[in-house]
Amino acid sequence: MDLAHIAIQLVVAIGCATLGNILIPRRIPGRFFGLIVTGLVGVWLGEGSYQLLQRTFKLNLPWLHFNLMGVPIIPSIIGSMIVIYLVTTLLRWGRYSH
């Protein structure tokens, strides 16, 4: 993994987290910084799970191959949506458990 790949991941993370936040309209703590962090974690989650599914089940769906310089877009959006949902759900659960 080189610096250019990390920079592309950062750009994709911002875009995917923004789109994930539109699809799951919840307030992310930390505003733009929180959006970047959830996007990066979502990109890494989506990219890793996509590679795992490809190796394990020989997953070969054409719409999953759309990528930007090696960073898969659709799995990154799905990963960002999962991270946004989990973070906001855990924060809401923690707030109401007092």
Side-chain angles (χ1 to χ4, degrees):
M1 184 177 296
D2 57 344
L3 191 59
H5 187 74
I6 293 173
I8 295 298
Q9 278 185 337
L10 182 63
V11 170
V12 170
I14 293 170
C16 289
T18 302
L19 186 61
N21 198 19
I22 290 170
L23 294 173
I24 299 179
R26 295 190 174 185
R27 189 167 168 222
I28 299 173
R31 300 182 192 234
F32 188 68
F33 181 71
L35 191 71
I36 291 173
V37 170
T38 55
L40 280 174
V41 172
V43 166
W44 290 328
L45 175 72
E47 195 171 9
S49 60
Y50 172 65
Q51 290 172 358
L52 178 71
L53 287 173
Q54 256 188 334
R55 281 193 313 265
T56 306
F57 299 112
K58 307 292 187 245
L59 188 66
N60 194 15
L61 299 173
W63 54 275
L64 288 176
H65 292 295
F66 180 66
N67 61 38
L68 181 66
M69 295 182 68
V71 179
I73 302 298
I74 303 298
S76 298
I77 293 172
I78 294 170
S80 295
M81 288 171 43
I82 290 170
V83 170
I84 289 170
Y85 180 77
L86 288 176
V87 166
T88 56
T89 300
L90 289 174
L91 286 175
R92 187 177 299 157
W93 176 66
R95 192 175 306 145
Y96 293 125
S97 67
H98 292 272

